[in-house]
Amino acid sequence: MSDLVVLGSAVDAAQRVGNTLGVFAFGVSGALLAVRKRFDVVGIAVLAVATATGGGIIRDLIIGETPPTAFVNPMLAGVALLSAVVIFFWHPPRKLVRTPLLVADAIGLGIFCVTGTVTAFQHDMSTWASAALGVVTAVGGGIIRDVLAGVTPSVLSDGELYAVPALLGSAVTAALLHYGWYTYWTGGLAGAGAVALRLVALWRHWHAPVARPHRRRDAV
Amino acid sequence: MSDLVVLGSAVDAAQRVGNTLGVFAFGVSGALLAVRKRFDVVGIAVLAVATATGGGIIRDLIIGETPPTAFVNPMLAGVALLSAVVIFFWHPPRKLVRTPLLVADAIGLGIFCVTGTVTAFQHDMSTWASAALGVVTAVGGGIIRDVLAGVTPSVLSDGELYAVPALLGSAVTAALLHYGWYTYWTGGLAGAGAVALRLVALWRHWHAPVARPHRRRDAV
Amino acid sequence: MSDLVVLGSAVDAAQRVGNTLGVFAFGVSGALLAVRKRFDVVGIAVLAVATATGGGIIRDLIIGETPPTAFVNPMLAGVALLSAVVIFFWHPPRKLVRTPLLVADAIGLGIFCVTGTVTAFQHDMSTWASAALGVVTAVGGGIIRDVLAGVTPSVLSDGELYAVPALLGSAVTAALLHYGWYTYWTGGLAGAGAVALRLVALWRHWHAPVARPHRRRDAV
């Protein structure tokens, strides 16, 4: 119990800063997709807020933390709305939106897989379930964004690795927590590693293998 | 506490009537979209029930009210099924479905932003969170309807104002509750105002602004 | 109370076996759809796990059982991942995937409408709500699968009966529980009946009625 409290205070500040950055990054990614889809200012705001808070809301519902943090702490939705305002006034031309969108999304992914895992672990979830919830937190907002905008979710078919970096970041974080090695620095490293892996995969076009086609019988 | 109870009894009857009307209106909107999409009678029933109860179920999960009202009070699903039966036998030709669909949806939107806000407030949510949950209740069912039917959610891109009326209705209701001015009449007025704003926006083609395109560099 | 415990032990083993089979069948259906959509190995795994655990997670959130079983018992996600691995290495050519996908989905549907109803009933839900939650458990995973993959959910428009078998299986199971006639055998029969009805409907092309078109005015 007291260990958990100490752990709690040790990571709380970093987690709060990290969460805020993650919310902003995912808010930007939602707003940029809305710009690309030519949605209006309301659509930009809705998609920014849904992307930025969606993963955390799903995580909180699953661990039974109701109401979810996003409905208790007005700062999260506020930061997401701020990201929508920024993008509404200051965004790259529609043709060039793709790269900023991918980078913002990668940063949100890396941050949320760590903070999501930590939050779940603090709520007495097992090590493997904490890692699973880290992945859910990291990919949940992006899935909601893509489903609302009518785009195939990155996690399923973006070609370049997306769930894999989230899974690695979450698994490493869960292991750090399990063995009591979690600190600002090790956690930050896990998140940075996930962001780096995603960006390198995008840059070098790393793909997960596709199921081997049955060439002889499936020829088209 | 006793204030809350008094508030509770003061609004309960109106809220129940309002909720039933909202469920029917949203049920009709789901059923009409199913007709437009040529879904069969099961699809009509499923879309009616999902649209009519979806927003309230999400709200109840978020405020930690489990099981959600829709699974406790069989009347809600019953009213939604009734709306499906009505539309199955008596609906305008497919080409003319659009206007009734928009009107039914507007009525559901206006009613649910008020009743959703009140329900959240009664469950000790803060004023701003109550307003946010009013919006979630109002737009949630329609989002589920549109995502299931493969249509871009109105809240993102229908052009005419959709989330804005829900936001205004919810914000006014939350303010009324906060200052103790909420009654049948003021609440009803807030809901009617939201419906009116949505319908006028549809009629006069009011649009929220779109992000300024970068004409020089983004010309296509 | 003690009745509930006896009921619990009477059905627990069968329910666990049934749930595992249902998870595997739905996992296969998700993995096969991912293969058909040419998703990579990560997409196959994500879609298998989401399909196999999605219905149960929604059910558990609604009955207030947090964290949901899928996050407590690692075996469920493990079985779903196993189904993904099997399908990744061993699957029919893309053109012939449709039939295995429909059969796996039908088996999952039949099993989950029974186990979902039983789980809800054991959590003190009313008879009608237990039946409703059986349907939610049975169709929820498939809806998540289809929405993620960008396919119209079977429950809305697959033509052949889909929700009807789930509804019948759930209603029969709920009635059996209500009257105290639920055993391994009667429950198994209810599930088998639902599977059979779905498969026969597919085979004989049984369709639910479509809303009568207004031919004179709606001619196109």
Side-chain angles (χ1 to χ4, degrees):
Chain A
M1 178 70 198
S2 94
D3 272 9
L4 201 69
V5 170
V6 171
L7 172 70
S9 26
V11 299
D12 259 10
Q15 210 186 330
R16 221 175 297 132
V17 172
N19 244 326
T20 309
L21 285 176
V23 162
F24 190 81
F26 264 137
V28 165
S29 84
L32 285 171
L33 182 58
V35 166
R36 214 172 91 190
K37 285 271 173 178
R38 300 194 188 257
F39 294 156
D40 60 26
V41 64
V42 177
I44 293 174
V46 169
L47 214 53
V49 173
T51 310
T53 62
I57 289 173
I58 296 176
R59 177 202 62 215
D60 288 350
L61 291 181
I62 286 173
I63 62 183
E65 174 83 354
T66 54
T69 316
F71 286 89
V72 175
N73 180 356
M75 209 196 54
L76 297 178
V79 168
L81 284 173
L82 179 68
S83 73
V85 169
V86 169
I87 293 302
F88 180 71
F89 286 109
W90 185 81
H91 58 89
R94 241 165 54 83
K95 292 163 64 179
L96 306 178
V97 152
R98 203 179 124 81
T99 302
L101 200 168
L102 289 171
V103 172
D105 185 64
I107 295 171
L109 187 78
I111 292 174
F112 274 12
C113 71
V114 175
T115 61
T117 305
V118 172
T119 303
F121 195 82
Q122 286 174 329
H123 281 80
D124 294 325
M125 301 293 289
S126 67
T127 304
W128 78 265
S130 298
L133 280 162
V135 175
V136 167
T137 312
V139 305
I143 288 178
I144 291 176
R145 176 194 64 209
D146 294 343
V147 166
L148 287 181
V151 168
T152 303
S154 308
V155 76
L156 291 180
S157 72
D158 212 342
E160 286 85 7
L161 305 180
Y162 188 86
V164 172
L167 186 57
L168 281 183
S170 299
V172 169
T173 304
L176 291 172
L177 290 162
H178 182 78
Y179 292 111
W181 298 335
Y182 184 88
T183 65
Y184 295 79
W185 303 108
T186 56
L189 220 61
V195 177
L197 177 54
R198 167 67 174 156
L199 291 178
V200 170
L202 281 167
W203 174 43
R204 311 286 285 184
H205 297 292
W206 287 348
H207 289 78
V210 174
R212 196 165 36 97
H214 295 243
R215 286 188 187 283
R216 255 171 289 179
R217 284 181 294 169
D218 197 28
V220 177
Chain B
M1 177 69 199
S2 94
D3 273 7
L4 201 71
V5 169
V6 171
L7 174 70
S9 24
V11 299
D12 259 11
Q15 210 186 331
R16 222 175 295 131
V17 172
N19 243 328
T20 309
L21 285 175
V23 163
F24 190 81
F26 264 137
V28 165
S29 83
L32 284 171
L33 182 57
V35 165
R36 213 172 91 189
K37 286 270 173 178
R38 300 195 187 255
F39 296 155
D40 59 27
V41 64
V42 176
I44 294 175
V46 169
L47 214 53
V49 173
T51 309
T53 63
I57 290 173
I58 296 175
R59 179 202 60 215
D60 288 350
L61 292 180
I62 286 174
I63 62 183
E65 173 83 355
T66 53
T69 316
F71 286 89
V72 176
N73 180 356
M75 210 196 54
L76 296 179
V79 168
L81 285 173
L82 180 68
S83 74
V85 169
V86 168
I87 292 302
F88 180 71
F89 287 110
W90 184 81
H91 58 88
R94 240 167 54 82
K95 292 163 66 180
L96 305 179
V97 151
R98 205 180 121 80
T99 302
L101 200 166
L102 289 172
V103 172
D105 185 63
I107 295 172
L109 188 78
I111 292 174
F112 274 12
C113 71
V114 176
T115 60
T117 305
V118 172
T119 303
F121 195 82
Q122 285 174 331
H123 282 80
D124 293 324
M125 302 292 290
S126 67
T127 305
W128 79 265
S130 298
L133 280 163
V135 176
V136 167
T137 312
V139 306
I143 288 178
I144 291 176
R145 175 195 64 209
D146 294 344
V147 165
L148 288 180
V151 167
T152 304
S154 308
V155 78
L156 292 179
S157 73
D158 211 343
E160 287 84 8
L161 307 179
Y162 189 84
V164 172
L167 187 55
L168 281 184
S170 298
V172 169
T173 304
L176 291 172
L177 289 162
H178 183 77
Y179 291 111
W181 298 335
Y182 184 87
T183 64
Y184 295 81
W185 303 107
T186 56
L189 219 61
V195 177
L197 177 55
R198 167 67 174 155
L199 291 178
V200 170
L202 282 166
W203 176 42
R204 311 286 286 186
H205 297 293
W206 287 348
H207 288 78
V210 174
R212 195 166 37 98
H214 294 245
R215 286 187 188 282
R216 254 171 289 179
R217 284 181 294 169
D218 197 28
V220 177
Chain C
M1 178 70 199
S2 94
D3 273 7
L4 201 70
V5 170
V6 172
L7 174 69
S9 25
V11 300
D12 259 11
Q15 209 186 330
R16 220 176 297 131
V17 172
N19 244 328
T20 309
L21 285 176
V23 163
F24 190 82
F26 265 137
V28 165
S29 83
L32 285 171
L33 182 58
V35 166
R36 215 173 90 188
K37 285 270 174 178
R38 300 193 188 257
F39 296 155
D40 60 26
V41 65
V42 177
I44 293 174
V46 169
L47 214 53
V49 173
T51 309
T53 62
I57 289 173
I58 296 176
R59 178 201 61 216
D60 288 351
L61 291 181
I62 286 173
I63 61 182
E65 174 82 354
T66 54
T69 316
F71 286 88
V72 176
N73 180 356
M75 208 196 54
L76 296 179
V79 168
L81 285 173
L82 179 67
S83 73
V85 170
V86 168
I87 292 302
F88 179 72
F89 287 109
W90 184 82
H91 57 90
R94 241 165 54 81
K95 293 164 64 178
L96 305 180
V97 151
R98 203 179 124 81
T99 302
L101 199 168
L102 289 172
V103 171
D105 184 63
I107 294 172
L109 187 78
I111 291 174
F112 274 12
C113 70
V114 175
T115 60
T117 304
V118 172
T119 303
F121 195 82
Q122 286 173 330
H123 282 80
D124 294 324
M125 301 293 290
S126 66
T127 305
W128 79 266
S130 298
L133 280 162
V135 175
V136 167
T137 311
V139 305
I143 288 178
I144 290 175
R145 176 194 64 209
D146 294 344
V147 165
L148 288 180
V151 168
T152 304
S154 308
V155 77
L156 291 180
S157 74
D158 210 342
E160 286 85 6
L161 306 179
Y162 188 85
V164 171
L167 186 56
L168 281 183
S170 299
V172 168
T173 304
L176 291 172
L177 289 162
H178 182 77
Y179 292 111
W181 298 335
Y182 183 88
T183 66
Y184 296 80
W185 303 107
T186 56
L189 219 61
V195 177
L197 176 55
R198 167 68 174 155
L199 292 178
V200 170
L202 282 167
W203 176 42
R204 311 285 286 185
H205 297 293
W206 287 347
H207 288 78
V210 174
R212 197 165 37 98
H214 295 243
R215 284 188 189 283
R216 256 172 287 179
R217 284 180 296 169
D218 197 29
V220 176

